[in-house]
Amino acid sequence: MSSTNFNYWPQVLDYLRSKIPGSNFTAWFSGLEFKGLNNEGRKIVLTAPSDFHKKYIEKKFNVELRESINKFYPKVIHLEIKIKEGERGAKKQVQDALDLKVAEQRKISQTEVDIENDKEKIASYLPRKNLNNLNPKYTFENFVITKSNEFTVNLAKGVVVELGTLYNPLFIHSPVGLGKTHLIQAVGHAVLEKNPSLNIKYVPSDTFFNQFYLALTKGETHKFRDFYSSVDLLLVDDIQFIGGKEGFQNQLFHIFNLLHQENKQIIFTSDRNPKDLIGVEDRLVSRFEWGMVTDIQKPDQNDILLILNDKLKRAGIILKDEQANLIAEKVNDNIRELEGVINKIKAVLSTEIDKELSQRGLLKILEPYLDQKTDSKLAYDTKKINPEKVMDAVCKVYMVEKDDILGSNRKAAVAEARQVCFWIMKQELGMSFPMIGKSFGGRDHSTIIHGVKKLQKMIDNRENNINTKIGLIKQIFQN
Ligand code: ADP
Ligand code: MG
């Protein structure tokens, strides 16, 4: 350790005090000591009075601590908290127990810390700092491995073992409801378990964009960039929504490069292959493909049955084999829907005295699945969007009247707006050409095909700011 390390620790603590409310600060940071810098100033070494202090700080205040350190030690990337010498053994255990008691008495719970942080960061656009946004429900332990996801699960587990160096980025795509979000958050939990001091952020791409947008309006995009380029593991969900958001893509490009250079792991999910992303710059698409691109396939009935049985077991529900088979046969597009069915069964059973699901009860629950449903209905249900919403959003952005796009007005803006509707209904809602024709007052399906093709061409050639317009439209109807 270099003896020329200048000690800015008192300043770091002062800054930290301004971020963390009084009682929390005293409880957790008064015993934290600076030991020096390592690795040419890239690593800071601190000591904490107990293992409990160390873990609590790493879990709850990781981001604040890192930010405060970086303010005065901008070169620091790694943070190591050791346990203070001489505090180990019996003394430490006593200390831990006392700390735990104090924490419990004070009820320093995650929520309390969050609320306090919220108060301070009320006008802020960045995520609550001590949160990695991982949902505790999404772990490897309860992710059922099937033929349709096995390959991708193995890659994801590989990433946990060799974070940042094996597949970076890892890009996972699949249709909705097949476990992408669950899987990448499971990676987050597993990484955190191995190393609680790592800075992990999970962020859906629309939230990511909104944060960027707010940073932009405040003229602080550098802060946004610094925040995300200092993480160890960045999990960006549903990257398809960045289509058409050019300024944001530019920032993401820089963040990607900064993280990648430092071997910081990035994982993306998307509803489609990088190559099929619309309105995304080529240089980003090519980076998405740098590491490993993989997918989760549509589960077959056997896969669904495995997942169903696992979930039933966890819920303590016992069904007859033929009942489980019927569910697996009918609800096989999407695991989220399968969970919906299980929840309904749970609700019914909670009112039954003999705790057995009757065949009639099951058929009632499965009623929506017994009719042949179309893909598009699924899209409406899961994305909560419908043709009306799409038309409304398009009209807003193009500033045209709905009657005009439904009618035969041939003005350029109206015609383009109409074709955008066709295209979104096809691409996002999965509607068939004849169905789209029907929503447009019985237009012939060949008209719709022509319109969708024409718009696709505009998108590919980036004509008329079309990508930005579509980006805006999507933002409206997705909210
Ligand atoms: P996606 O992000 O691909 O839309 P999610 O990860 O949100 O899908 O999954 C939808 C739901 O299904 C979640 O509640 C998730 O826990 C569950 N799920 C998906 N795949 C599995 C699996 N293999 N094992 C257990 N649960 C799963
Ligand atoms: Mg998801």
Side-chain angles (χ1 to χ4, degrees):
M1 219 170 274
S2 153
S3 58
T4 58
N5 292 339
F6 190 77
N7 188 354
Y8 289 106
W9 189 240
Q11 283 93 326
V12 174
L13 284 182
D14 274 343
Y15 186 72
L16 201 55
R17 193 178 284 121
S18 73
K19 303 252 132 198
I20 294 174
S23 57
N24 268 340
F25 180 84
T26 318
W28 302 109
F29 292 97
S30 54
L32 198 64
E33 285 173 16
F34 172 77
K35 286 295 152 193
L37 298 170
N38 261 339
N39 300 357
E40 297 164 346
R42 283 151 62 95
K43 176 170 171 181
I44 189 165
V45 182
L46 309 174
T47 57
S50 73
D51 196 44
F52 180 75
H53 274 90
K54 170 183 156 77
K55 294 227 168 83
Y56 199 93
I57 289 170
E58 283 169 339
K59 198 156 171 219
K60 310 279 186 186
F61 300 112
N62 185 27
V63 179
E64 286 91 329
L65 180 58
R66 280 174 179 269
E67 192 205 333
S68 309
I69 290 170
N70 280 131
K71 218 172 155 56
F72 299 94
Y73 296 105
K75 273 170 73 185
V76 166
I77 302 168
H78 304 290
L79 164 62
E80 183 182 356
I81 304 181
K82 295 183 171 171
I83 313 299
K84 208 168 162 189
E85 290 297 326
E87 302 273 349
R88 293 176 186 277
K91 193 173 165 198
K92 178 190 143 278
Q93 279 171 16
V94 172
Q95 179 71 45
D96 283 0
L98 280 175
D99 285 341
L100 194 59
K101 215 162 167 201
V102 171
E104 277 166 5
Q105 277 165 0
R106 288 228 197 108
K107 290 201 176 18
I108 301 177
S109 63
Q110 177 83 31
T111 21
E112 183 187 339
V113 176
D114 292 348
I115 292 165
E116 283 171 345
N117 279 2
D118 268 358
K119 271 191 234 146
E120 288 183 4
K121 301 205 58 55
I122 216 123
S124 179
Y125 44 84
L126 287 173
R128 280 178 289 181
K129 302 197 120 193
N130 56 333
L131 287 190
N132 48 38
N133 283 327
L134 295 177
N135 183 333
K137 273 189 350 203
Y138 293 153
T139 62
F140 277 118
E141 190 273 324
N142 60 5
F143 194 79
V144 182
I145 300 181
T146 67
K147 281 195 308 305
S148 54
N149 62 32
E150 186 177 18
F151 183 72
T152 297
V153 172
N154 283 336
L155 296 181
K157 289 188 170 166
V159 163
V160 175
V161 178
E162 290 185 53
L163 196 67
T165 49
L166 188 59
Y167 313 116
N168 200 12
L170 181 63
F171 190 104
I172 303 173
H173 63 95
S174 84
V176 69
L178 298 188
K180 299 181 295 295
T181 300
H182 187 142
L183 187 57
I184 64 168
Q185 296 210 15
V187 171
H189 286 298
V191 167
L192 208 55
E193 201 162 289
K194 267 183 84 183
N195 189 347
S197 68
L198 289 187
N199 183 355
I200 295 175
K201 285 278 171 277
Y202 164 83
V203 64
S205 80
D206 49 347
T207 309
F208 206 14
F209 169 77
N210 289 338
Q211 292 162 0
F212 161 75
Y213 180 78
L214 288 167
L216 187 68
T217 54
K218 293 189 173 194
E220 294 177 347
T221 50
H222 60 287
K223 278 197 185 169
F224 171 81
R225 189 191 297 185
D226 290 350
F227 184 86
Y228 278 106
S229 52
S230 65
V231 305
D232 299 300
L233 169 61
L234 181 61
L235 306 164
V236 187
D237 210 356
D238 289 319
I239 195 75
Q240 71 271 12
F241 295 136
I242 68 171
K245 294 166 179 151
E246 279 142 26
F248 176 65
Q249 288 181 30
N250 185 38
Q251 279 298 325
L252 181 62
F253 178 74
H254 290 297
I255 291 169
F256 181 97
N257 290 341
L258 289 165
L259 290 174
H260 200 271
Q261 271 162 23
E262 296 278 346
N263 283 341
K264 302 298 185 188
Q265 181 72 45
I266 311 155
I267 305 182
F268 296 105
T269 75
S270 162
D271 68 352
R272 66 199 80 176
N273 213 292
K275 279 206 173 51
D276 298 329
L277 287 168
I278 292 159
V280 178
E281 294 173 27
D282 293 345
R283 57 180 187 164
L284 260 181
V285 171
S286 95
R287 272 160 181 77
F288 292 157
E289 293 173 328
W290 265 5
M292 177 64 90
V293 176
T294 181
D295 66 346
I296 298 179
Q297 282 159 13
K298 220 177 146 257
D300 65 17
Q301 201 174 321
N302 195 41
D303 297 335
I304 293 279
L305 202 56
L306 278 177
I307 297 174
L308 174 65
N309 283 331
D310 182 84
K311 291 191 183 288
L312 289 174
K313 201 166 149 202
R314 286 171 193 274
I317 299 174
I318 298 169
L319 294 184
K320 298 193 189 85
D321 282 353
E322 58 271 24
Q323 290 182 318
N325 286 335
L326 181 67
I327 299 171
E329 185 192 327
K330 297 296 174 191
V331 191
N332 54 16
D333 279 317
N334 176 316
I335 317 297
R336 189 175 297 289
E337 296 205 350
L338 191 68
E339 289 179 328
V341 167
I342 297 171
N343 285 337
K344 283 186 190 149
I345 296 176
K346 237 192 254 175
V348 169
L349 288 183
S350 69
T351 61
E352 300 282 325
I353 299 159
D354 57 3
K355 302 287 170 218
E356 229 181 66
L357 185 66
S358 67
Q359 194 62 7
R360 223 176 108 233
L362 177 62
L363 288 178
K364 189 153 176 30
I365 290 169
L366 290 181
E367 203 173 84
Y369 302 94
L370 297 178
D371 293 332
Q372 200 52 44
K373 71 183 163 179
T374 61
D375 283 354
S376 51
K377 173 169 175 307
L378 182 67
Y380 302 169
D381 283 355
T382 52
K383 295 185 181 174
K384 294 202 171 47
I385 53 176
N386 55 42
E388 287 291 307
K389 271 195 179 173
V390 172
M391 285 185 212
D392 290 344
V394 170
C395 288
K396 236 184 222 165
V397 168
Y398 276 88
M399 292 191 282
V400 296
E401 297 297 326
K402 204 157 162 184
D403 283 348
D404 285 337
I405 58 169
L406 286 172
S408 52
N409 188 320
R410 288 177 172 276
K411 269 193 208 152
V414 177
E416 187 179 304
R418 195 179 289 131
Q419 286 167 353
V420 169
C421 288
F422 297 169
W423 183 89
I424 292 177
M425 288 178 181
K426 182 76 206 152
Q427 300 296 334
E428 298 289 323
L429 271 59
M431 290 169 68
S432 66
F433 292 121
M435 265 177 81
I436 301 174
K438 233 185 196 172
S439 327
F440 275 85
R443 279 179 162 79
D444 190 74
H445 74 277
S446 62
T447 313
I448 312 296
I449 295 178
H450 173 76
V452 171
K453 276 194 180 153
K454 200 162 159 215
L455 201 89
Q456 187 62 51
K457 216 167 167 187
M458 280 182 77
I459 291 171
D460 293 342
N461 299 331
R462 300 173 183 277
E463 280 168 42
N464 233 357
N465 286 326
I466 191 74
N467 296 324
T468 309
K469 289 178 202 162
I470 292 179
L472 282 172
I473 292 162
K474 281 193 190 174
Q475 243 192 308
I476 296 174
F477 72 66
Q478 276 152 5
N479 284 329

